[in-house]
Amino acid sequence: MPSRHDARSGKRSAASLCNNGVRFPALHRMSFFRDLSLSAVVTGFVVVLVGFTSTGALVFQAAQSLGANQAQINSWMWALGLGMGLATILPSLYYKKPVVAAWSTPGAALIATSATGVAGLTMAQAIGAFVVCAVLIVLAGATRLFERLMNRIPVAIASAMLAGVLLRFGIEAFVGVKSAPVMVLTMFAAHLLGKRFWPRYGVVGVLAVGVACALVTDSLKWAAVSVEWATPVWVTPEFSLPAIIGLALPLFLVTMASQNMPGVAVMRASGYDTPVSPVITTTGVINLIFAPFGGYTLNLAAITAAISMGPEAHEDRDKRYTAAVMAGVFYCLIGLVGAIVGGLFAAFPKELIIALAGLALMGTIGNGLAAATRDEGDREAAIITFLVTASGLSLAGIGSAFWGLVAGVLAMVVLKWRKT
């Protein structure tokens, strides 16, 4: 007969397994609903709102550059919506830490330019390149090479890169005062009052005030809303050497350097030690499934992920994963109802989206700068990282986040190098 001590140990073991999400899935799902809050739901909506409206047009342009018809464009949104949703929900629920996936923004730009840069590139050949890129992402995660590289980056450098990436959004939040002063200033006032009196629901208040201002000023574009369901359209992949060299490999490199690397840096700078390799592998596998339907590249988000990891998502950082899960749910809805949700997002004024993103990211920007400059020995390298990243520098098709990281690491090596 087991002793009382053994019984207690058994209970502790079972509880531990439950908390780690390894067993007792029903109890694990119940814990999600206990952790969920209104602020997490709204933050999840904001994540999708900002992510979809900021670069959605670029995805449409990429599909059109390959000669996609309307059904195929809708299929791209179906594949990307469901792909991002699943790649966000599954790891966030499993690890109980916020993980947000996104489509590759520079990847969409690369596809649009490759349509003319790769001779005779067809939709089927592009789909084949998407499949090859997804396989390479799976290998990068499964071999753990990418994670080992990221684990060597100091926290000060990662935090400075995060602050540099987000700085533009914080600045642009106030640029909208010129074109929509009433809306932006009212949203800013709601932000300050929310910080003072109801910090847990600050983003909720800002969004509500912004929508109310849009209604009063009649700036909601209801004509953009159309009832149209997205359906998947299969395109059989064709594998050609020019498409693999000219599209698949650059797509893989730009996604890993400009998207996944900042995405991991955001998680580390926000204090989350989520295992990188399994998440990258999962993203690649989901990407592989949806590639023939137009899911060109999925990766870790950086800017929108930072929104879900901030204090506005939930006052308890251990429960902020619920905001990421809700973002995944909204992404899946985009995939299922396609143009309906897309039209709703497109109906919001541009100033509302930009102000909402900037105000939601203020706390994250401040935390990033604080962590970057906390250690005097790392401060110079961190400032260099921040400035290069914030500059918007782009070389060889790779964005400033990567080059900021390179500059900061080089600066740290030089400044801390000692002659032997």
Side-chain angles (χ1 to χ4, degrees), residues 34-102:
R34 285 197 301 267
D35 294 343
L36 188 63
S37 66
L38 176 61
S39 61
V41 175
V42 174
T43 298
F45 178 78
V46 171
V47 165
V48 176
L49 182 66
V50 172
F52 186 84
T53 56
S54 60
T55 58
L58 190 58
V59 176
F60 281 95
Q61 182 182 354
Q64 289 174 339
S65 69
L66 295 172
N69 56 36
Q70 189 58 50
Q72 289 174 325
I73 292 175
N74 290 343
S75 178
W76 278 47
M77 299 313 299
W78 175 88
L80 290 169
L82 289 183
M84 290 186 296
L86 292 175
T88 297
I89 293 171
L90 295 179
S92 296
L93 277 179
Y94 186 81
Y95 294 111
K96 300 192 76 171
K97 295 173 183 178
V99 176
V100 178

Short mmCIF file of all heavy atoms in Angstrom, two decimals, residues 34-102:
data_model
loop_
_atom_site.label_atom_id
_atom_site.label_comp_id
_atom_site.label_asym_id
_atom_site.label_seq_id
_atom_site.Cartn_x
_atom_site.Cartn_y
_atom_site.Cartn_z
N ARG A 34 -10.01 29.48 -17.92
CA ARG A 34 -9.85 30.20 -16.63
C ARG A 34 -8.88 31.36 -16.79
O ARG A 34 -9.04 32.40 -16.17
CB ARG A 34 -9.36 29.24 -15.54
CG ARG A 34 -10.42 28.28 -15.02
CD ARG A 34 -9.99 27.68 -13.69
NE ARG A 34 -8.72 26.96 -13.82
CZ ARG A 34 -8.61 25.66 -14.07
NH1 ARG A 34 -9.71 24.94 -14.24
NH2 ARG A 34 -7.44 25.08 -14.16
N ASP A 35 -7.86 31.17 -17.62
CA ASP A 35 -6.85 32.21 -17.80
C ASP A 35 -7.30 33.31 -18.76
O ASP A 35 -6.76 34.42 -18.73
CB ASP A 35 -5.55 31.59 -18.36
CG ASP A 35 -4.89 30.64 -17.37
OD1 ASP A 35 -5.23 30.70 -16.17
OD2 ASP A 35 -4.05 29.82 -17.81
N LEU A 36 -8.28 33.01 -19.59
CA LEU A 36 -8.71 33.96 -20.62
C LEU A 36 -9.39 35.18 -20.00
O LEU A 36 -10.11 35.07 -19.01
CB LEU A 36 -9.68 33.26 -21.59
CG LEU A 36 -10.10 34.04 -22.83
CD1 LEU A 36 -8.89 34.34 -23.71
CD2 LEU A 36 -11.14 33.24 -23.61
N SER A 37 -9.13 36.33 -20.58
CA SER A 37 -9.73 37.57 -20.11
C SER A 37 -10.17 38.40 -21.31
O SER A 37 -9.77 38.14 -22.45
CB SER A 37 -8.73 38.38 -19.27
OG SER A 37 -7.65 38.83 -20.08
N LEU A 38 -11.00 39.41 -21.06
CA LEU A 38 -11.46 40.28 -22.13
C LEU A 38 -10.29 40.99 -22.79
O LEU A 38 -10.25 41.14 -24.02
CB LEU A 38 -12.45 41.31 -21.57
CG LEU A 38 -12.96 42.36 -22.57
CD1 LEU A 38 -13.71 41.70 -23.72
CD2 LEU A 38 -13.85 43.38 -21.85
N SER A 39 -9.31 41.41 -21.99
CA SER A 39 -8.15 42.10 -22.55
C SER A 39 -7.37 41.18 -23.49
O SER A 39 -6.85 41.63 -24.52
CB SER A 39 -7.23 42.61 -21.44
OG SER A 39 -6.75 41.53 -20.65
N ALA A 40 -7.30 39.89 -23.18
CA ALA A 40 -6.61 38.94 -24.04
C ALA A 40 -7.34 38.76 -25.36
O ALA A 40 -6.73 38.68 -26.43
CB ALA A 40 -6.45 37.60 -23.33
N VAL A 41 -8.67 38.71 -25.30
CA VAL A 41 -9.46 38.58 -26.53
C VAL A 41 -9.27 39.79 -27.43
O VAL A 41 -9.04 39.66 -28.64
CB VAL A 41 -10.96 38.38 -26.19
CG1 VAL A 41 -11.79 38.38 -27.46
CG2 VAL A 41 -11.18 37.10 -25.41
N VAL A 42 -9.35 40.98 -26.84
CA VAL A 42 -9.19 42.21 -27.62
C VAL A 42 -7.77 42.32 -28.17
O VAL A 42 -7.56 42.71 -29.32
CB VAL A 42 -9.55 43.44 -26.77
CG1 VAL A 42 -9.23 44.73 -27.52
CG2 VAL A 42 -11.02 43.41 -26.38
N THR A 43 -6.78 41.95 -27.36
CA THR A 43 -5.40 41.99 -27.83
C THR A 43 -5.21 41.04 -29.00
O THR A 43 -4.52 41.37 -29.98
CB THR A 43 -4.43 41.63 -26.69
OG1 THR A 43 -4.56 42.59 -25.64
CG2 THR A 43 -2.99 41.63 -27.19
N GLY A 44 -5.81 39.85 -28.92
CA GLY A 44 -5.74 38.92 -30.03
C GLY A 44 -6.33 39.51 -31.29
O GLY A 44 -5.78 39.35 -32.40
N PHE A 45 -7.43 40.22 -31.15
CA PHE A 45 -8.06 40.88 -32.30
C PHE A 45 -7.15 41.97 -32.85
O PHE A 45 -7.01 42.12 -34.07
CB PHE A 45 -9.41 41.48 -31.89
CG PHE A 45 -10.11 42.21 -32.99
CD1 PHE A 45 -10.78 41.53 -33.99
CD2 PHE A 45 -10.09 43.60 -33.05
CE1 PHE A 45 -11.42 42.20 -35.02
CE2 PHE A 45 -10.74 44.28 -34.07
CZ PHE A 45 -11.41 43.58 -35.06
N VAL A 46 -6.52 42.73 -31.95
CA VAL A 46 -5.61 43.80 -32.38
C VAL A 46 -4.41 43.21 -33.13
O VAL A 46 -3.98 43.77 -34.15
CB VAL A 46 -5.13 44.62 -31.16
CG1 VAL A 46 -4.01 45.58 -31.56
CG2 VAL A 46 -6.28 45.39 -30.55
N VAL A 47 -3.88 42.10 -32.65
CA VAL A 47 -2.76 41.43 -33.32
C VAL A 47 -3.12 41.13 -34.78
O VAL A 47 -2.36 41.42 -35.70
CB VAL A 47 -2.39 40.14 -32.58
CG1 VAL A 47 -1.49 39.26 -33.45
CG2 VAL A 47 -1.68 40.45 -31.26
N VAL A 48 -4.29 40.55 -34.98
CA VAL A 48 -4.73 40.18 -36.33
C VAL A 48 -5.05 41.43 -37.15
O VAL A 48 -4.72 41.51 -38.34
CB VAL A 48 -5.94 39.24 -36.26
CG1 VAL A 48 -6.47 38.93 -37.65
CG2 VAL A 48 -5.55 37.94 -35.55
N LEU A 49 -5.68 42.39 -36.51
CA LEU A 49 -6.04 43.63 -37.20
C LEU A 49 -4.81 44.32 -37.74
O LEU A 49 -4.74 44.72 -38.91
CB LEU A 49 -6.80 44.54 -36.23
CG LEU A 49 -7.30 45.88 -36.77
CD1 LEU A 49 -8.38 45.65 -37.82
CD2 LEU A 49 -7.84 46.74 -35.63
N VAL A 50 -3.78 44.44 -36.89
CA VAL A 50 -2.55 45.11 -37.30
C VAL A 50 -1.81 44.29 -38.34
O VAL A 50 -1.36 44.80 -39.38
CB VAL A 50 -1.64 45.36 -36.07
CG1 VAL A 50 -0.27 45.87 -36.51
CG2 VAL A 50 -2.29 46.36 -35.12
N GLY A 51 -1.70 42.98 -38.10
CA GLY A 51 -0.97 42.13 -39.02
C GLY A 51 -1.60 42.04 -40.39
O GLY A 51 -0.92 42.12 -41.42
N PHE A 52 -2.92 41.91 -40.44
CA PHE A 52 -3.61 41.72 -41.71
C PHE A 52 -3.67 43.01 -42.51
O PHE A 52 -3.42 43.01 -43.71
CB PHE A 52 -5.01 41.19 -41.46
CG PHE A 52 -5.76 40.82 -42.70
CD1 PHE A 52 -5.58 39.59 -43.30
CD2 PHE A 52 -6.64 41.72 -43.30
CE1 PHE A 52 -6.25 39.25 -44.45
CE2 PHE A 52 -7.32 41.39 -44.45
CZ PHE A 52 -7.13 40.15 -45.03
N THR A 53 -4.02 44.10 -41.86
CA THR A 53 -4.22 45.34 -42.61
C THR A 53 -2.91 45.99 -43.02
O THR A 53 -2.89 46.74 -43.99
CB THR A 53 -5.03 46.35 -41.77
OG1 THR A 53 -4.37 46.57 -40.53
CG2 THR A 53 -6.43 45.82 -41.51
N SER A 54 -1.84 45.72 -42.29
CA SER A 54 -0.57 46.40 -42.60
C SER A 54 0.09 45.86 -43.86
O SER A 54 0.71 46.62 -44.62
CB SER A 54 0.40 46.30 -41.42
OG SER A 54 0.67 44.94 -41.13
N THR A 55 -0.03 44.56 -44.11
CA THR A 55 0.68 43.97 -45.26
C THR A 55 -0.20 43.08 -46.12
O THR A 55 0.31 42.41 -47.02
CB THR A 55 1.90 43.15 -44.77
OG1 THR A 55 1.43 42.12 -43.88
CG2 THR A 55 2.89 44.02 -44.05
N GLY A 56 -1.50 43.07 -45.87
CA GLY A 56 -2.39 42.23 -46.65
C GLY A 56 -2.36 42.55 -48.13
O GLY A 56 -2.39 41.67 -48.99
N ALA A 57 -2.26 43.84 -48.44
CA ALA A 57 -2.24 44.26 -49.84
C ALA A 57 -1.02 43.69 -50.57
O ALA A 57 -1.08 43.38 -51.77
CB ALA A 57 -2.24 45.78 -49.94
N LEU A 58 0.09 43.54 -49.84
CA LEU A 58 1.32 43.01 -50.44
C LEU A 58 1.14 41.55 -50.84
O LEU A 58 1.66 41.10 -51.87
CB LEU A 58 2.49 43.16 -49.47
CG LEU A 58 3.89 42.88 -50.00
CD1 LEU A 58 4.20 43.78 -51.19
CD2 LEU A 58 4.91 43.07 -48.90
N VAL A 59 0.40 40.80 -50.02
CA VAL A 59 0.13 39.39 -50.34
C VAL A 59 -0.73 39.30 -51.60
O VAL A 59 -0.47 38.46 -52.48
CB VAL A 59 -0.56 38.69 -49.16
CG1 VAL A 59 -0.94 37.25 -49.53
CG2 VAL A 59 0.34 38.69 -47.93
N PHE A 60 -1.75 40.15 -51.70
CA PHE A 60 -2.58 40.18 -52.91
C PHE A 60 -1.72 40.49 -54.14
O PHE A 60 -1.88 39.88 -55.20
CB PHE A 60 -3.69 41.22 -52.77
CG PHE A 60 -4.85 40.77 -51.94
CD1 PHE A 60 -4.92 41.08 -50.59
CD2 PHE A 60 -5.87 40.02 -52.50
CE1 PHE A 60 -5.98 40.66 -49.82
CE2 PHE A 60 -6.95 39.60 -51.73
CZ PHE A 60 -7.01 39.91 -50.39
N GLN A 61 -0.80 41.44 -53.98
CA GLN A 61 0.07 41.82 -55.09
C GLN A 61 0.97 40.66 -55.50
O GLN A 61 1.19 40.43 -56.70
CB GLN A 61 0.92 43.03 -54.70
CG GLN A 61 1.83 43.54 -55.81
CD GLN A 61 2.69 44.71 -55.37
OE1 GLN A 61 2.53 45.23 -54.27
NE2 GLN A 61 3.60 45.12 -56.22
N ALA A 62 1.50 39.92 -54.52
CA ALA A 62 2.36 38.77 -54.81
C ALA A 62 1.61 37.71 -55.60
O ALA A 62 2.12 37.16 -56.57
CB ALA A 62 2.91 38.19 -53.51
N ALA A 63 0.37 37.43 -55.18
CA ALA A 63 -0.44 36.42 -55.88
C ALA A 63 -0.76 36.88 -57.30
O ALA A 63 -0.66 36.10 -58.26
CB ALA A 63 -1.72 36.15 -55.10
N GLN A 64 -1.10 38.15 -57.45
CA GLN A 64 -1.45 38.67 -58.77
C GLN A 64 -0.25 38.67 -59.70
O GLN A 64 -0.40 38.47 -60.91
CB GLN A 64 -2.03 40.07 -58.63
CG GLN A 64 -3.42 40.11 -58.00
CD GLN A 64 -3.90 41.52 -57.73
OE1 GLN A 64 -3.10 42.45 -57.65
NE2 GLN A 64 -5.21 41.69 -57.59
N SER A 65 0.95 38.87 -59.16
CA SER A 65 2.15 38.90 -60.00
C SER A 65 2.41 37.54 -60.64
O SER A 65 3.10 37.46 -61.67
CB SER A 65 3.36 39.33 -59.18
OG SER A 65 3.72 38.33 -58.23
N LEU A 66 1.89 36.48 -60.04
CA LEU A 66 2.03 35.14 -60.59
C LEU A 66 0.86 34.76 -61.49
O LEU A 66 0.75 33.61 -61.92
CB LEU A 66 2.16 34.12 -59.45
CG LEU A 66 3.42 34.24 -58.57
CD1 LEU A 66 3.33 33.31 -57.37
CD2 LEU A 66 4.68 33.95 -59.39
N GLY A 67 -0.02 35.71 -61.74
CA GLY A 67 -1.16 35.45 -62.61
C GLY A 67 -2.33 34.79 -61.91
O GLY A 67 -3.17 34.16 -62.58
N ALA A 68 -2.42 34.92 -60.59
CA ALA A 68 -3.51 34.27 -59.84
C ALA A 68 -4.84 34.92 -60.18
O ALA A 68 -4.94 36.16 -60.29
CB ALA A 68 -3.24 34.36 -58.35
N ASN A 69 -5.87 34.08 -60.34
CA ASN A 69 -7.23 34.61 -60.51
C ASN A 69 -7.85 34.84 -59.14
O ASN A 69 -7.22 34.57 -58.11
CB ASN A 69 -8.08 33.66 -61.37
CG ASN A 69 -8.11 32.25 -60.79
OD1 ASN A 69 -8.12 32.06 -59.57
ND2 ASN A 69 -8.13 31.25 -61.67
N GLN A 70 -9.08 35.34 -59.10
CA GLN A 70 -9.70 35.69 -57.82
C GLN A 70 -9.87 34.47 -56.93
O GLN A 70 -9.67 34.55 -55.71
CB GLN A 70 -11.07 36.35 -58.06
CG GLN A 70 -11.68 36.94 -56.79
CD GLN A 70 -10.78 37.99 -56.13
OE1 GLN A 70 -10.31 38.90 -56.79
NE2 GLN A 70 -10.54 37.85 -54.84
N ALA A 71 -10.22 33.32 -57.50
CA ALA A 71 -10.38 32.10 -56.70
C ALA A 71 -9.05 31.69 -56.07
O ALA A 71 -9.00 31.27 -54.91
CB ALA A 71 -10.93 30.98 -57.56
N GLN A 72 -7.96 31.83 -56.82
CA GLN A 72 -6.65 31.47 -56.28
C GLN A 72 -6.19 32.47 -55.22
O GLN A 72 -5.58 32.09 -54.21
CB GLN A 72 -5.63 31.40 -57.41
CG GLN A 72 -5.82 30.20 -58.32
CD GLN A 72 -4.89 30.22 -59.53
OE1 GLN A 72 -4.59 31.28 -60.07
NE2 GLN A 72 -4.44 29.04 -59.95
N ILE A 73 -6.51 33.75 -55.42
CA ILE A 73 -6.18 34.75 -54.39
C ILE A 73 -6.93 34.44 -53.10
O ILE A 73 -6.35 34.50 -52.01
CB ILE A 73 -6.51 36.16 -54.90
CG1 ILE A 73 -5.57 36.56 -56.04
CG2 ILE A 73 -6.43 37.18 -53.77
CD1 ILE A 73 -5.91 37.88 -56.69
N ASN A 74 -8.20 34.11 -53.21
CA ASN A 74 -8.97 33.72 -52.03
C ASN A 74 -8.38 32.47 -51.37
O ASN A 74 -8.37 32.34 -50.14
CB ASN A 74 -10.43 33.47 -52.41
CG ASN A 74 -11.16 34.75 -52.77
OD1 ASN A 74 -10.72 35.85 -52.45
ND2 ASN A 74 -12.30 34.61 -53.44
N SER A 75 -7.88 31.55 -52.20
CA SER A 75 -7.26 30.34 -51.67
C SER A 75 -5.99 30.68 -50.90
O SER A 75 -5.69 30.07 -49.87
CB SER A 75 -6.94 29.37 -52.81
OG SER A 75 -6.30 28.21 -52.32
N TRP A 76 -5.22 31.65 -51.40
CA TRP A 76 -4.02 32.09 -50.68
C TRP A 76 -4.40 32.60 -49.29
O TRP A 76 -3.76 32.26 -48.29
CB TRP A 76 -3.32 33.21 -51.46
CG TRP A 76 -2.43 32.74 -52.56
CD1 TRP A 76 -2.72 31.80 -53.51
CD2 TRP A 76 -1.10 33.19 -52.86
NE1 TRP A 76 -1.67 31.64 -54.37
CE2 TRP A 76 -0.66 32.49 -54.00
CE3 TRP A 76 -0.26 34.13 -52.29
CZ2 TRP A 76 0.60 32.70 -54.57
CZ3 TRP A 76 0.99 34.35 -52.85
CH2 TRP A 76 1.42 33.64 -53.97
N MET A 77 -5.47 33.40 -49.21
CA MET A 77 -5.88 33.92 -47.91
C MET A 77 -6.42 32.81 -47.02
O MET A 77 -6.23 32.83 -45.80
CB MET A 77 -6.94 35.01 -48.11
CG MET A 77 -6.46 36.21 -48.93
SD MET A 77 -4.84 36.84 -48.41
CE MET A 77 -5.19 37.30 -46.72
N TRP A 78 -7.09 31.83 -47.62
CA TRP A 78 -7.56 30.66 -46.85
C TRP A 78 -6.38 29.91 -46.26
O TRP A 78 -6.37 29.58 -45.07
CB TRP A 78 -8.36 29.75 -47.79
CG TRP A 78 -8.81 28.46 -47.18
CD1 TRP A 78 -9.96 28.23 -46.49
CD2 TRP A 78 -8.12 27.21 -47.22
NE1 TRP A 78 -10.02 26.90 -46.08
CE2 TRP A 78 -8.90 26.26 -46.53
CE3 TRP A 78 -6.90 26.78 -47.77
CZ2 TRP A 78 -8.52 24.92 -46.37
CZ3 TRP A 78 -6.51 25.46 -47.61
CH2 TRP A 78 -7.31 24.55 -46.92
N ALA A 79 -5.38 29.63 -47.09
CA ALA A 79 -4.22 28.87 -46.64
C ALA A 79 -3.40 29.63 -45.60
O ALA A 79 -2.99 29.08 -44.57
CB ALA A 79 -3.34 28.53 -47.86
N LEU A 80 -3.18 30.92 -45.85
CA LEU A 80 -2.38 31.71 -44.92
C LEU A 80 -3.12 31.92 -43.60
O LEU A 80 -2.51 31.87 -42.52
CB LEU A 80 -2.02 33.06 -45.55
CG LEU A 80 -1.02 32.99 -46.71
CD1 LEU A 80 -0.95 34.33 -47.45
CD2 LEU A 80 0.36 32.59 -46.20
N GLY A 81 -4.43 32.17 -43.67
CA GLY A 81 -5.21 32.37 -42.45
C GLY A 81 -5.21 31.14 -41.57
O GLY A 81 -4.88 31.20 -40.37
N LEU A 82 -5.54 29.99 -42.14
CA LEU A 82 -5.55 28.75 -41.35
C LEU A 82 -4.14 28.36 -40.92
O LEU A 82 -3.93 27.88 -39.80
CB LEU A 82 -6.19 27.62 -42.16
CG LEU A 82 -7.69 27.69 -42.40
CD1 LEU A 82 -8.17 26.46 -43.17
CD2 LEU A 82 -8.45 27.81 -41.09
N GLY A 83 -3.17 28.55 -41.82
CA GLY A 83 -1.80 28.20 -41.47
C GLY A 83 -1.27 29.02 -40.30
O GLY A 83 -0.71 28.48 -39.34
N MET A 84 -1.45 30.34 -40.37
CA MET A 84 -1.02 31.20 -39.27
C MET A 84 -1.78 30.88 -37.98
O MET A 84 -1.22 30.89 -36.89
CB MET A 84 -1.20 32.67 -39.64
CG MET A 84 -0.25 33.15 -40.72
SD MET A 84 -0.35 34.94 -41.03
CE MET A 84 -2.00 35.11 -41.65
N GLY A 85 -3.07 30.60 -38.13
CA GLY A 85 -3.88 30.29 -36.95
C GLY A 85 -3.39 29.05 -36.25
O GLY A 85 -3.18 29.05 -35.02
N LEU A 86 -3.18 27.97 -36.99
CA LEU A 86 -2.72 26.71 -36.39
C LEU A 86 -1.30 26.85 -35.84
O LEU A 86 -1.00 26.33 -34.76
CB LEU A 86 -2.78 25.59 -37.43
CG LEU A 86 -4.18 25.16 -37.88
CD1 LEU A 86 -4.09 24.13 -39.00
CD2 LEU A 86 -4.98 24.61 -36.71
N ALA A 87 -0.42 27.55 -36.58
CA ALA A 87 0.95 27.73 -36.12
C ALA A 87 1.04 28.64 -34.90
O ALA A 87 2.07 28.69 -34.22
CB ALA A 87 1.81 28.29 -37.26
N THR A 88 -0.03 29.35 -34.61
CA THR A 88 -0.09 30.20 -33.41
C THR A 88 -0.76 29.46 -32.25
O THR A 88 -0.25 29.46 -31.13
CB THR A 88 -0.87 31.50 -33.72
OG1 THR A 88 -0.17 32.25 -34.71
CG2 THR A 88 -1.04 32.35 -32.47
N ILE A 89 -1.87 28.80 -32.52
CA ILE A 89 -2.65 28.16 -31.47
C ILE A 89 -1.91 26.97 -30.86
O ILE A 89 -1.81 26.85 -29.61
CB ILE A 89 -4.02 27.71 -32.01
CG1 ILE A 89 -4.87 28.91 -32.38
CG2 ILE A 89 -4.75 26.84 -30.98
CD1 ILE A 89 -6.16 28.55 -33.12
N LEU A 90 -1.38 26.08 -31.70
CA LEU A 90 -0.81 24.83 -31.20
C LEU A 90 0.37 25.04 -30.24
O LEU A 90 0.35 24.54 -29.12
CB LEU A 90 -0.41 23.94 -32.38
CG LEU A 90 -1.58 23.45 -33.27
CD1 LEU A 90 -1.06 22.60 -34.42
CD2 LEU A 90 -2.58 22.66 -32.43
N PRO A 91 1.42 25.79 -30.62
CA PRO A 91 2.52 25.98 -29.67
C PRO A 91 2.15 26.83 -28.46
O PRO A 91 2.67 26.61 -27.36
CB PRO A 91 3.62 26.64 -30.51
CG PRO A 91 2.91 27.25 -31.66
CD PRO A 91 1.73 26.39 -31.93
N SER A 92 1.25 27.80 -28.65
CA SER A 92 0.86 28.65 -27.52
C SER A 92 0.12 27.84 -26.46
O SER A 92 0.34 28.01 -25.25
CB SER A 92 -0.03 29.81 -28.01
OG SER A 92 0.67 30.67 -28.86
N LEU A 93 -0.77 26.95 -26.90
CA LEU A 93 -1.48 26.10 -25.96
C LEU A 93 -0.55 25.07 -25.32
O LEU A 93 -0.64 24.78 -24.13
CB LEU A 93 -2.63 25.38 -26.66
CG LEU A 93 -3.94 26.15 -26.84
CD1 LEU A 93 -4.96 25.29 -27.59
CD2 LEU A 93 -4.51 26.58 -25.49
N TYR A 94 0.34 24.49 -26.11
CA TYR A 94 1.21 23.42 -25.61
C TYR A 94 2.19 23.95 -24.57
O TYR A 94 2.37 23.35 -23.51
CB TYR A 94 1.96 22.78 -26.77
CG TYR A 94 2.76 21.56 -26.36
CD1 TYR A 94 2.15 20.33 -26.21
CD2 TYR A 94 4.13 21.66 -26.11
CE1 TYR A 94 2.88 19.21 -25.82
CE2 TYR A 94 4.87 20.56 -25.72
CZ TYR A 94 4.24 19.34 -25.58
OH TYR A 94 4.98 18.25 -25.19
N TYR A 95 2.85 25.07 -24.88
CA TYR A 95 3.85 25.61 -23.96
C TYR A 95 3.28 26.62 -22.96
O TYR A 95 3.98 27.01 -22.03
CB TYR A 95 4.98 26.28 -24.76
CG TYR A 95 5.78 25.32 -25.60
CD1 TYR A 95 5.71 25.35 -26.98
CD2 TYR A 95 6.59 24.36 -25.01
CE1 TYR A 95 6.43 24.46 -27.76
CE2 TYR A 95 7.32 23.47 -25.78
CZ TYR A 95 7.23 23.52 -27.15
OH TYR A 95 7.95 22.63 -27.91
N LYS A 96 2.03 27.05 -23.19
CA LYS A 96 1.40 28.07 -22.35
C LYS A 96 2.25 29.34 -22.31
O LYS A 96 2.40 29.99 -21.29
CB LYS A 96 1.12 27.54 -20.94
CG LYS A 96 0.19 26.33 -20.93
CD LYS A 96 -0.32 26.00 -19.55
CE LYS A 96 -1.40 26.96 -19.12
NZ LYS A 96 -2.07 26.56 -17.87
N LYS A 97 2.79 29.67 -23.47
CA LYS A 97 3.57 30.88 -23.66
C LYS A 97 3.17 31.47 -25.02
O LYS A 97 2.88 30.72 -25.95
CB LYS A 97 5.07 30.58 -23.64
CG LYS A 97 5.55 30.09 -22.28
CD LYS A 97 7.00 29.65 -22.32
CE LYS A 97 7.42 29.10 -20.96
NZ LYS A 97 8.81 28.60 -20.96
N PRO A 98 3.13 32.79 -25.14
CA PRO A 98 2.66 33.38 -26.40
C PRO A 98 3.59 33.11 -27.57
O PRO A 98 4.78 33.43 -27.52
CB PRO A 98 2.57 34.88 -26.08
CG PRO A 98 3.48 35.08 -24.91
CD PRO A 98 3.45 33.81 -24.12
N VAL A 99 3.06 32.51 -28.60
CA VAL A 99 3.77 32.29 -29.86
C VAL A 99 2.84 32.75 -30.98
O VAL A 99 1.74 32.24 -31.10
CB VAL A 99 4.14 30.81 -30.07
CG1 VAL A 99 4.80 30.61 -31.44
CG2 VAL A 99 5.06 30.31 -28.96
N VAL A 100 3.28 33.70 -31.76
CA VAL A 100 2.44 34.24 -32.83
C VAL A 100 3.14 34.01 -34.17
O VAL A 100 4.31 34.38 -34.33
CB VAL A 100 2.16 35.74 -32.64
CG1 VAL A 100 1.33 36.28 -33.81
CG2 VAL A 100 1.44 35.98 -31.32
N ALA A 101 2.43 33.39 -35.10
CA ALA A 101 2.96 33.18 -36.45
C ALA A 101 2.45 34.27 -37.38
O ALA A 101 1.48 34.96 -37.08
CB ALA A 101 2.56 31.80 -36.96
N ALA A 102 3.11 34.41 -38.51
CA ALA A 102 2.72 35.41 -39.50
C ALA A 102 3.18 34.96 -40.87
O ALA A 102 3.97 34.03 -40.99
CB ALA A 102 3.35 36.77 -39.16
#
